[in-house]
Amino acid sequence: MYLPNPLARRLFLARHGLATAPTGPAKGEDLAALIGRIGFVQVDSINTVERAHHMILFSRAQSYKPAALKPLLERDRLLWEHWTHDASILPVAVFPYWRHRFARDALRLHDNWRKWFREGYEAQFDTILQRIADTGPLTSSEVGEGEARGKGGWWDWHPSKTALEWLWRTGKLAITRRDGFQKVYDLTERVIPAPVLQQEISFEDKVEWACNTALDRLGFASLAELQAYWNAVPKAAVAAWCKAAVARGELAEVMVEGANAAPCPAFARPDVLHQAATIPEATPRLRVLSPFDPALRDRARAEHLFGFYYRIEVFVPEAKRRWGYYVFPVLEGDRLVGRLDAKAFKQEGALRVKAFWPEAGVKMTKLRLGKLDGELHRLARFAGCDRVEYLPGWQREFLAP
């Protein structure tokens, strides 16, 4: 079976909530359902315009307000925060499937962390757990009072901070809330609702869940993409599931046409062509995406589907950056048409646009410039600014990777 690139893009964007206009309700159960639909929302500390998790949700529902997320995490417990490929917000229903990750990470991190971090953090496990049990939730700064702090990055955490992170990564603790952006930890049984906490999942059910839900959100996927989506079960188990599902006629092998490259093999539902063909064409709306948008998390997949090469340059020395510190991909319809360097100066009420680079073959017509301006004004309001300022020379030419 052959899946043409336009249909592949249409299906993929629809599954990620980016094919329709970003309208509709974005709070309460509607917001929780949106996050469930796209699977997870990555949390990131960089606040150039707005934090990544807020921008991801705003790009799909422009009535979204950041204040709508907090009660779902901290009061209603419909969502929780843990590690996917990075720190992410997930539906709380995912928690039972994460127990295997807790056990796996306890073994994997044991070897690595003992090499990376200062000695002594393992001795803090019981002390920290007992302190939180007795006195309530704590932050890393509170739990590490009196300890010498390193001047480096995460590799130089003090022992209690390291222990706290370990206990979170391995499921003994959970994030009960954030104060500002600082994580506040509590015992997992005081954060995760009891019916979810008590749910037991067999390994076979984990494999079924991981593969089916990943495929539902990707539309089509290679073996590696299926396994990496949740990173929930071993690659061998995913391969066995795919083989059995193909034999039962529940899965088909397809070739997915690339934007500028040869087709790649993937798995999909047998009716994938019908599914893709019946999805309306993507809205012509233009929208600014977070660099950590779930649709772009797999950079190789984005490059194959859209011909869009993207690497974040936060950790690249300034003199070596091609585009900028934190540059936003720009989606129009079913094409990634450019990248934007902008920053919100909230105290001054201005969203300042430093640069926009169109992709190859994208002409900045009067219509497209108007759509970009409209989206930037919406983004400015979302970021708490009342105006957009275009800096001199902001319109750039295509810059090849």
Side-chain angles (χ1 to χ4, degrees), residues 223 226 236-251 253 267:
L223 176 61
L226 270 183
V238 177
W241 180 85
C242 289
K243 183 177 180 180
V246 169
R248 294 192 301 265
E250 298 171 1
L251 207 60
E253 297 179 76
F267 296 98

Side-chain angles (χ1 to χ4, degrees), residues 92-221:
V92 76
V94 167
F95 178 85
Y97 300 95
W98 240 241
R99 285 200 178 92
H100 73 286
R101 290 188 58 140
F102 300 151
R104 181 193 68 191
D105 287 353
L107 294 173
R108 182 175 61 85
L109 297 178
H110 181 73
D111 294 331
N112 290 337
W113 285 30
R114 292 181 77 181
K115 297 174 186 175
W116 295 340
F117 295 115
R118 305 183 210 173
E119 295 181 359
Y121 73 90
E122 293 160 292
Q124 302 296 317
F125 292 167
D126 290 341
T127 301
I128 290 172
L129 286 171
Q130 191 61 53
R131 182 178 173 186
I132 292 177
D134 292 342
T135 65
L138 291 174
T139 65
S140 61
S141 58
E142 291 170 330
V143 84
E145 291 171 352
E147 291 183 340
R149 298 173 184 271
K151 297 180 181 179
W154 56 264
W155 60 89
D156 204 16
W157 288 337
H158 56 76
S160 290
K161 164 63 177 173
T162 309
L164 200 63
E165 191 76 7
W166 171 283
L167 292 167
W168 173 59
R169 288 285 294 271
T170 56
K172 303 294 191 302
L173 296 177
I175 296 170
T176 187
R177 67 179 189 275
R178 282 183 181 257
D179 289 344
F181 198 69
Q182 188 174 32
K183 291 183 286 192
V184 182
Y185 301 85
D186 200 354
L187 301 179
T188 299
E189 57 265 32
R190 298 202 294 225
V191 175
I192 304 299
V196 177
L197 190 68
Q198 294 163 7
Q199 189 177 356
E200 296 291 338
I201 304 293
S202 70
F203 179 75
E204 292 74 19
D205 286 344
K206 290 175 188 175
V207 174
E208 285 287 330
W209 170 84
C211 295
N212 278 309
T213 56
L215 189 60
D216 288 343
R217 287 163 177 80
L218 294 170
F220 49 87

Side-chain angles (χ1 to χ4, degrees), residues 41-60 64-66 69-70 81 87 89 178-183 288-294 312 325-326 328 342 344 346 379 382-384:
V41 174
Q42 183 173 335
V43 178
D44 191 75
S45 62
I46 297 174
N47 197 8
T48 304
V49 173
E50 255 297 354
R51 298 197 193 278
H53 43 295
H54 296 315
M55 286 202 64
I56 290 167
L57 297 169
F58 174 73
S59 66
R60 289 159 172 81
Y64 170 73
K65 299 290 187 283
L69 188 59
K70 199 172 181 69
E81 188 176 331
I89 294 166
R178 282 183 181 257
D179 289 344
F181 198 69
Q182 188 174 32
K183 291 183 286 192
V288 176
L289 303 181
S290 165
F292 299 112
D293 194 281
I312 196 163
Y325 172 75
Y326 196 81
F328 302 93
K346 299 184 182 185
L379 186 62
F382 176 65

